[in-house]
């Protein structure tokens, strides 16, 4: 049920050594391709990384906030073609990332969204440059985020929602 899925999707930063089955990874990636995009544009691309050396390098692409990537089993760079979705590339990527994270959660796989697009690397440059170079990503693609994935090392607690009364209005604010 969707309500259980949204309650159990959490940002996971500590992963076990258990490998993600290839079939499960493909299922997650396919789920991302079902995500809606503005005007149904075919602008999405995912780069799935399992190589330990590359994961280690990805874990250093900005100011140490993403060091847990080195411990995940798979990192997925979520990209959008800026030539195809020139205005909505960021929104399209974030929606796809959400689909990927929900699909992972459904399979008992944890994930964490790591921002790339608007962050800086340790030298003060746009963090996407290092990711782009590391993964051979063409310039026309927006590198929105990296999703780290793996089986949670610790038990995951159910998410508690924000207070409904203070966060929802009807008709007007």
């Amino acid at each position: 049920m969707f309500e259980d899925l949204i309650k159990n999707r959490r940002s996971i930063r500590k992963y076990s050594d258990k490998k993600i089955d290839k079939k499960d990874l493909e299922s997650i990636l396919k789920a991302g391709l079902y995500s809606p995009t503005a005007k149904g544009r075919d602008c999405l691309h995912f780069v799935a990384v399992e190589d330990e050396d590359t994961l280690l390098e990805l874990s250093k692409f900005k100011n140490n906030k993403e060091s847990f990537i080195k411990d995940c089993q798979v990192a997925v760079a979520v990209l959008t073609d800026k030539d195809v979705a020139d205005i909505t590339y960021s929104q399209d990527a974030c929606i796809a990332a959400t689909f990927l994270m929900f699909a992972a959660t459904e399979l008992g796989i944890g994930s964490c969204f790591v921002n790339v697009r608007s962050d800086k690397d340790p030298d003060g440059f746009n963090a996407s440059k290092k990711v782009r170079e590391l993964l051979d990503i063409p310039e026309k693609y927006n590198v929105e985020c990296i999703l780290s994935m793996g089986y949670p090392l610790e038990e995951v607690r159910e998410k508690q929602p924000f207070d409904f009364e203070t966060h929802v209005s009807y008709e007007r604010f």
Side-chain angles (χ1 to χ4, degrees):
M1 177 167 203
F2 187 68
E3 187 175 350
D4 293 331
L5 188 62
I6 61 176
K7 286 179 179 178
N8 290 311
R9 213 264 0 128
R10 302 300 305 265
S11 292
I12 304 300
R13 293 175 181 86
K14 294 180 181 177
Y15 301 102
S16 76
D17 292 335
K18 181 180 176 184
K19 299 288 183 199
I20 296 174
D21 181 75
K22 190 79 162 169
K23 184 176 155 187
D24 287 342
L25 178 58
E26 285 184 7
S27 175
I28 292 166
L29 296 169
K30 284 178 184 176
L33 297 174
Y34 279 99
S35 69
T37 60
K39 298 182 181 179
R41 292 181 178 126
D42 183 9
C43 62
L44 300 169
H45 193 94
F46 309 129
V47 179
V49 177
E50 297 175 283
D51 178 74
E52 289 181 16
D53 292 334
T54 307
L55 290 171
L56 178 62
E57 287 304 310
L58 281 174
S59 75
K60 302 173 191 174
F61 81 91
K62 56 182 187 175
N63 294 315
N64 250 355
K65 298 173 191 168
E66 71 295 335
S67 62
F68 57 88
I69 291 174
K70 71 182 179 311
D71 301 320
C72 73
Q73 297 304 314
V74 177
V76 179
V78 179
L79 318 175
T80 39
D81 186 332
K82 295 182 289 188
D83 291 342
V84 174
D86 60 332
I87 296 172
T88 60
Y89 60 85
S90 182
Q91 296 92 324
D92 293 339
C94 289
I95 294 168
T98 302
F99 273 55
L100 292 167
M101 291 185 293
F102 280 141
T105 300
E106 185 174 49
L107 295 171
I109 297 168
S111 63
C112 189
F113 185 108
V114 181
N115 182 45
V116 175
R117 186 176 60 88
S118 61
D119 264 335
K120 304 290 184 203
D121 70 9
D123 298 320
F125 296 104
N126 188 298
S128 66
K129 181 180 179 195
K130 186 166 185 178
V131 175
R132 188 180 304 288
E133 290 170 356
L134 189 60
L135 302 180
D136 297 322
I137 298 169
E139 192 62 39
K140 73 175 189 165
Y141 285 93
N142 164 53
V143 184
E144 188 67 32
C145 66
I146 294 173
L147 302 178
S148 60
M149 295 185 184
Y151 290 95
L153 188 61
E154 302 165 345
E155 189 173 328
V156 180
R157 293 184 325 244
E158 186 177 285
K159 178 168 178 52
Q160 297 303 309
F162 296 112
D163 181 64
F164 185 86
E165 298 299 321
T166 60
H167 287 78
V168 177
S169 301
Y170 290 98
E171 308 303 334
R172 289 181 173 63
F173 193 92

